[in-house]
Amino acid sequence: MDTDVIVIGGGLAGLCAAIEAASAGAEVTLLEKLAECGGSSVLSGGLLAFAGTDMQQAAGIEDNETLLYDDLRRAGAQQNDDALVRTYVAHQMQAYAWLKGLGVQFNSVELAAGHSQPRAHSVRSQAFMALMEQRARDTGRVNIVFNAQAERLLRAHEGARIEGVTARINGSTQTLRARRGVVLAAGGFSRNAEMINLFVPHQARCVVYCGAGCDGDGVRMAWALGAGLRDVVHIKGTFGFHPDTGKTPGRDWSRHSVYRGAILVNRQGQRYVDESKSYKLLGDAVLAQPGAMSFQIFDEGVMETSSDIAPLFKFREALALGRLLTEPTLEALARRIGVDAVALAATIERYNGFVRSGRDDDFGRTGLSSGYGKLVELKRGPWYAYPSTSGLIATYCGITVDTESRVTNVFGEIIPGLYAAGEMTGGFHGVAYMTGSSLGKCVIFGRIAGRNAAASDK
Ligand SMILES: Cc1cc2nc3c(=O)[nH]c(=O)nc-3n(C[C@H](O)[C@H](O)[C@H](O)COP(=O)(O)OP(=O)(O)OC[C@H]3O[C@@H](n4cnc5c(N)ncnc54)[C@H](O)[C@@H]3O)c2cc1C
């Protein structure tokens, strides 16, 4: 089982690292603890942030590196690592061209959260990840081992090079040596309740929706060797997830009818927030409600804005899936969701009054989303309720790395022979993630990690 480079994790970052290391001539063993590759990457919305592409130019979108840099820093509230952001910006066009060269097909360019220009390049995540796995195999130098859970990183003593890992492979513990380097690409830790409780206990009430292997193994393995940590206090759920998220198969658990005019009420039938705020802030607000629960309530007028394309606005689909509840009258809907009917009716009446007067005296809502869009009165049955809470889909933080994807310890010193990329690394996002920048970061820093591990001293 000795090899040149060991990659831990078969998500996007790990596959990119493996392809690059193999292209540089290294023999690669990729350990994936589940029975298939994909991780959170395959569940993702498939949006990658690139600026200045041919697709943008063809669509008349004027975007460039400066705007991308500014948006990334702004999303991170300037608390992200400037050097990492600059590295992303400097490599992103090469990464886009590299993906296209591998045969990745981008379908459209979308405007998404945190973007000052439409720059979210969309792929179909399942086809994308299948292609990336195939490209890793096509190198002829990548051996993908499934049901192989890396457990510990090996080094002779503190300060010595990382020389391999121990891994549980099909039920037995084995030692694997890496002649050149080890790349950690084991994803985030949304599923590790202990770690979430340690860093952000107030987010522990979130439902979780991400790859089945997102237990934080990679972060803990590096942490055990003294790796630094960054951004862990900024972990935040996303509003709009159904409380039954993940209980049955299917990807579409989240809906945002609030941004089409719905109101948000708690179990007492009362509004508690300006519904036009960002879904991250709504996520925090719902976690503070009894049972961390609320309902997006809307009428037929809002239902008529249902989309067949944008997942977050597919209200009719949610109805067909039995997740969106409906009744002909508001009173019947209140009964169905266990909310006091008189209180709910009073809330709707008061809200409609605010819409008519143009002033929300309770929470200051002035638009559909972040102040934009005209508010609508809710008055036409049938009525709808989407049970909603906050969902943790990614942690976007973790161990410290430098611009060469080398893991650094709590003193800022490089841990020799150890590289990391993807969601498990900290510093790049700062306070918040800009849409498309996590998959983008997997490609850019995964490639750097793979290349450097392959070139590492023996
Ligand atoms: C629903 C959803 C939508 C999203 N949409 C977007 C989007 O549109 N754009 C965007 O930029 N980001 C998005 N994200 C975030 C993004 O998908 C992830 O941050 C990113 O895919 C993480 O990639 P990764 O390679 O670091 O980790 P993953 O893709 O999670 O891969 C990590 C792999 O490591 C394996 N592993 C873990 N521990 C071990 C171990 N001990 N040994 C061996 N293998 C191990 C796991 O099983 C997994 O396969 C979304 C996330 C979700 C859940």
Side-chain angles (χ1 to χ4, degrees):
M1 287 290 238
D2 287 5
T3 187
D4 291 327
V5 173
I6 295 173
V7 175
I8 300 174
L12 182 57
L15 288 170
C16 290
I19 295 169
E20 280 294 83
S23 306
E27 249 178 56
V28 180
T29 297
L30 186 151
L31 303 178
E32 167 52 55
K33 84 170 170 189
L34 302 180
E36 56 189 7
C37 285
S40 283
S41 307
V42 79
L43 299 175
S44 78
L47 300 174
L48 291 90
F50 298 119
T53 64
D54 50 357
M55 285 181 75
Q56 287 176 304
Q57 278 154 22
I61 299 161
E62 287 182 26
D63 200 8
N64 58 47
E65 292 183 353
T66 309
L67 293 173
L68 173 62
Y69 171 83
D70 288 345
D71 287 352
L72 284 165
R73 292 305 308 273
R74 195 177 314 111
Q78 312 296 331
Q79 289 186 44
N80 34 6
D81 182 327
D82 185 56
L84 292 179
V85 173
R86 286 185 189 282
T87 303
Y88 183 109
V89 171
H91 288 78
Q92 50 102 24
M93 281 302 286
Q94 287 163 18
Y96 172 75
W98 180 73
L99 289 172
K100 284 184 70 160
L102 291 178
V104 174
Q105 201 185 333
F106 293 100
N107 300 310
S108 62
V109 185
E110 311 286 344
L111 182 66
H115 296 191
S116 58
Q117 295 292 327
R119 69 165 72 96
H121 293 67
S122 78
V123 294
R124 290 197 175 79
S125 43
Q126 280 160 318
F128 173 51
M129 289 303 291
L131 179 78
M132 296 306 282
E133 183 178 342
Q134 188 53 50
R135 290 295 174 259
R137 293 183 191 284
D138 290 347
T139 63
R141 292 201 187 90
V142 178
N143 175 26
I144 301 180
V145 188
F146 292 116
N147 302 308
Q149 178 172 12
E151 292 184 325
R152 296 283 192 279
L153 296 163
L154 300 174
R155 64 179 174 185
H157 54 81
E158 197 183 329
R161 281 184 80 69
I162 301 299
E163 55 196 40
V165 302
T166 57
R168 192 102 188 129
I169 302 179
N170 288 319
S172 75
T173 298
Q174 302 188 26
T175 299
L176 289 85
R177 303 275 162 193
R179 289 183 286 268
R180 300 194 193 179
V182 174
V183 178
L184 286 167
F189 55 90
S190 301
R191 292 192 184 278
N192 188 318
E194 212 174 287
M195 288 169 82
I196 297 297
N197 260 311
L198 178 65
F199 299 131
V200 279
H202 53 290
Q203 299 292 331
R205 299 169 95 190
C206 287
V207 293
V208 177
Y209 183 66
C210 62
C214 294
D215 304 307
D217 296 356
V219 172
R220 282 180 301 155
M221 276 187 271
W223 198 11
L225 300 192
L229 292 176
R230 269 193 77 158
D231 300 340
V232 291
V233 296
H234 301 307
I235 297 168
K236 238 190 216 324
T238 297
F239 170 76
F241 279 83
H242 194 286
D244 289 342
T245 292
K247 286 192 182 152
T248 57
R251 290 151 54 98
D252 291 335
W253 290 98
S254 179
R255 291 294 181 280
H256 282 171
S257 59
V258 283
Y259 299 137
R260 294 278 166 94
I263 60 165
L264 204 47
V265 302
N266 59 19
R267 280 178 169 163
Q268 276 89 46
Q270 285 158 354
R271 288 178 71 216
Y272 55 87
V273 70
D274 168 359
E275 295 89 344
S276 74
K277 285 187 172 177
S278 101
Y279 49 77
K280 289 288 182 190
L281 297 178
L282 295 185
D284 278 351
V286 70
L287 291 181
Q289 299 307 304
M293 255 301 290
S294 63
F295 301 93
Q296 301 180 59
I297 304 283
F298 56 96
D299 72 346
E300 186 60 18
V302 173
M303 182 52 135
E304 283 165 3
T305 71
S306 175
S307 164
D308 294 333
I309 301 161
L312 292 169
F313 303 109
K314 286 183 176 176
F315 310 141
R316 292 198 197 285
E317 183 199 70
L319 192 63
L321 288 168
R323 295 178 196 153
L324 177 65
L325 308 173
T326 186
E327 290 292 340
T329 66
L330 190 57
E331 198 185 349
L333 187 74
R335 264 201 311 275
R336 176 110 180 250
I337 62 177
V339 164
D340 181 75
V342 176
L344 183 60
T347 297
I348 300 267
E349 200 182 317
R350 186 170 169 80
Y351 176 76
N352 284 343
F354 293 154
V355 176
R356 284 193 298 276
S357 70
R359 215 180 72 184
D360 174 357
D361 288 336
D362 289 342
F363 301 103
R365 183 179 192 178
T366 57
L368 296 179
S369 172
S370 304
Y372 294 102
K374 204 168 156 347
L375 293 179
V376 287
E377 284 186 64
L378 304 172
K379 51 187 180 188
R380 190 153 54 91
W383 291 85
Y384 301 91
Y386 195 74
S388 306
T389 185
S390 185
L392 204 51
I393 60 170
T395 39
Y396 301 130
C397 65
I399 60 172
T400 50
V401 284
D402 69 3
T403 56
E404 296 297 330
S405 293
R406 295 176 293 199
V407 176
T408 53
N409 69 15
V410 290
F411 304 112
E413 300 153 353
I414 288 158
I415 300 180
L418 187 61
Y419 302 83
E423 191 180 315
M424 59 167 288
T425 58
F428 174 73
H429 296 291
V431 169
Y433 139 92
M434 185 194 84
T435 298
S437 64
S438 190
L439 293 175
K441 164 184 153 180
C442 287
V443 179
I444 290 164
F445 292 98
R447 294 184 72 204
I448 293 175
R451 241 176 355 241
N452 285 338
S456 195
D457 290 331
K458 292 185 185 169

